[in-house]
Amino acid sequence: MTITGLKAKLTDQTEKTEDKTLNSFKDATEASAWAKSSLADSLRAGILAGRDDSELAPKEYITRAEVAAIVERLLQKSDLI
């Protein structure tokens, strides 16, 4: 997101916003502390959506299809495709 410039477009990058974004997922507390800020940024940018409306599954394996969808959304949101 930094390389594509998408991170700079996000508004209100405070810790309070990070907590609010993550608290809507019941398993957000399972995410590693070092990843929470980037996870919240990705959610706010619309790159990540979670496994469903209430779970992020931060400790689960990610599939190739999920990676492909994330990369596609990153490029689309960054106006690169």
Side-chain angles (χ1 to χ4, degrees), residues 10-21:
L10 292 178
T11 58
D12 195 19
Q13 298 179 7
T14 65
E15 189 173 312
K16 191 174 186 177
T17 304
E18 176 184 316
D19 291 340
K20 184 179 176 184
T21 302

Side-chain angles (χ1 to χ4, degrees), residues 24-35:
S24 62
F25 295 93
K26 64 183 180 182
D27 61 350
T29 57
E30 294 177 25
S32 298
W34 59 266

Side-chain angles (χ1 to χ4, degrees), residues 24-48:
S24 62
F25 295 93
K26 64 183 180 182
D27 61 350
T29 57
E30 294 177 25
S32 298
W34 59 266
K36 288 185 178 185
S37 176
S38 295
L39 186 57
D41 288 347
S42 296
L43 286 165
R44 286 186 299 146
I47 294 172
L48 295 179

Side-chain angles (χ1 to χ4, degrees), residues 51-71:
R51 292 275 166 100
D52 60 36
D53 290 338
S54 64
E55 288 187 331
L56 291 170
K59 300 289 184 185
E60 300 296 322
Y61 290 108
I62 191 168
T63 66
R64 278 187 246 171
E66 289 170 325
V67 172
I70 290 168
V71 170

